[in-house]
Amino acid sequence: DIQLTQSPSFLSASVGDRVTITCRASQGISSYLAWYQQKPGKAPKLLIYAASTLQSGVPSRFSGSGSGTEFTLTISSLQPEDFATYYCQQLNSYPQVTFGGGTKVEIK
Amino acid sequence: EVQLVESGGGLVQPGGSLRLSCAASGFTFSSYSMNWVRQAPGKGLEWVSYISSSSSTIYYADSVKGRFTISRDNAKNSLYLQMNSLRAEDTAVYYCARSGSIFGVVLFDYWGQGTLVTVSS
């Protein structure tokens, strides 16, 4: 099974900060990686797929990069509505996908 | 508008059974593969099961294999998850999620709001 390790698991940041979250895969997954945002009590929302493609309707302050085993999600200027938990997902072994452990972004 | 609405969750004793449903609307259900994903309280996301559009291909996570059965009824635009021999560790919010595709890239593009399953005596 392909394991995904996210870091950090928790981060505290201020509005306007640049935030970077890392996702590392236990083996190469090309660009078969997606990022989701989840707010408390809500379903995950797709932000980025194919490692770097922004889903329709997602603000351009979100960006993704990477391939192989190391990926990043960057929020260029954190907004109040971005405080949430973020998950990466590998689809290299689709349909048997796996998710990272999550990164909770909280207000400093 | 694409909508996925789960139902059927609740409190069940260990060893018991429960059947979850996911009602789909706003898209051609029979053209899409579907998934169940769960989230234990305060924990991360765990993929549970997959079913292809025609039900010809099915996969399960090792944690539920032999106990859970995924199925669908394309005439009723509905996805199901039959859960037997339930354990405390199956306690979670269960989401149905659509396997969409953009230019050949698979993605979980729409999710339901989830239904809570609690396994406890």
Side-chain angles (χ1 to χ4, degrees), chain B residues 38-110:
Chain B
R38 69 184 180 182
Q39 186 170 36
K43 303 296 185 182
L45 301 166
E46 179 190 16
W47 170 79
V48 172
S49 186
Y50 160 94
I51 186 167
S52 62
S53 57
S54 64
S55 303
S56 60
T57 303
I58 286 173
Y59 289 96
Y60 298 99
D62 288 344
S63 57
V64 306
K65 201 173 294 182
R67 301 186 299 122
F68 289 12
T69 302
I70 192 172
S71 63
R72 64 190 295 162
D73 185 335
N74 287 342
K76 294 184 178 179
N77 291 336
S78 293
L79 173 72
Y80 306 101
L81 186 67
Q82 177 67 43
M83 304 185 295
N84 298 331
S85 303
L86 282 161
R87 306 166 180 167
E89 55 264 34
D90 296 318
T91 294
V93 174
Y94 285 73
Y95 297 100
C96 61
R98 189 180 84 165
S99 284
S101 176
I102 299 178
F103 300 117
V105 177
V106 176
L107 42 110
F108 285 27
D109 55 356
Y110 288 94

